[in-house]
Amino acid sequence: LIKGRERMAVDLKSEPLAPQCGVTIHDIRLAEAEGETLDAIRRAVFEHGVAVFRDQALSPEEHIELAKRWGGIDINNYFPLTDAHPEIAVVRKAAGQETNIGGAWHTDHSYDQVPAMGSILVARTLPPKGGDTLFAHMGAAYDALDEDTKREIEGLEAFHTADHVYKEGGIYAQTDIGGELRGQDLTTGATHPVVVRHPSTGRKLLYVNPSFTVTIAGRSRADSLPLLEKLFAEARNPQHHARVVWEPGTVTIWDNRTTWHNALNDYHGHAREMHRITLTGEKLAA
Ligand code: SIN
């Protein structure tokens, strides 16, 4: 009987979010997900890149407990935190602000030596319309490259940093959310293979992104750009994308190795607030 119940629990009711990226998982209460059920959710996130769960009513405490059961929390060095729940990064745009956090294609924390596995993002305040998040599947993007390009990037590494984004004088400092961010004094930098193998699925994934990957290792920025732009162009192909349309109670869990994401900034005059917990990852290899 127990076996039967376990089998039922891992048989997730799900449907694709888009042909190449994402999955919606039904009939799960994330606050209670553990054991075999959590393992099945992990597998779905690793394979599809992002999983969407509706009607969750996840409290901040349940959000933190879920992340701990998943495997550990990486505190983001830049986003605002709250005193009550310092594990939760607040991704907020006030009604009067122009700039949002994460409003360009990126992969979280790729500038770390051991990049974060992914995130659990909970919708707290949503605009009446807009504020969707786009995801791109980096396994699909890799597969779609022509054979010459695949040969060209075999064995290459790339350098990632967040210094031009978050440091004093960086991209965010020029905007109206610069004052809310932390970590302007930090220096970051990490080298990863251009193509990594997913630590769990073994799938080949393109692991460069336009926000944090600045050079191909050993080349100047100018010499790196033509190849990087070619790889980014494939990942920008909407064929590889999925769109998460948020509703009250929506939670997404994504995998930073399998996906890029981009928070659309198309809801000026309205507030949007999301709670993000960043999940601990592992060192990446080709
Ligand atoms: C992010 O983590 O980049 C923000 C995602 C979002 O706000 O939709």
Side-chain angles (χ1 to χ4, degrees), residues 75-203:
I75 307 275
N76 180 279
N77 285 325
Y78 303 106
F79 299 172
L81 306 176
T82 62
D83 289 340
H85 303 105
E87 298 90 343
I88 297 178
V90 180
V91 177
R92 177 176 45 218
K93 183 184 167 209
Q97 281 177 317
E98 273 182 20
T99 311
N100 70 337
I101 291 178
W105 284 114
H106 66 284
T107 302
D108 296 333
H109 298 203
S110 71
Y111 43 80
D112 285 340
Q113 305 286 338
V114 180
M117 177 261 126
S119 280
I120 305 175
L121 192 69
V122 178
R124 295 293 179 204
T125 303
L126 292 172
K129 204 155 74 63
D132 302 344
T133 309
L134 301 181
F135 288 84
H137 198 294
M138 302 310 289
Y142 174 79
D143 290 350
L145 294 172
D146 61 67
E147 292 306 315
D148 283 349
T149 306
K150 284 181 182 163
R151 265 192 298 276
E152 185 183 355
I153 60 179
E154 184 84 37
L156 292 184
E157 295 190 316
F159 181 71
H160 303 238
T161 177
D163 293 0
H164 58 292
V165 178
Y166 293 110
K167 263 195 181 297
E168 210 176 314
I171 292 171
Y172 278 125
Q174 326 283 330
T175 73
D176 59 350
I177 57 166
E180 289 168 42
L181 297 175
R182 305 152 37 244
Q184 281 81 1
D185 52 335
L186 295 175
T187 297
T188 55
T191 300
H192 306 291
V194 169
V195 181
V196 299
R197 279 215 184 255
H198 192 284
S200 300
T201 67
R203 186 165 178 182

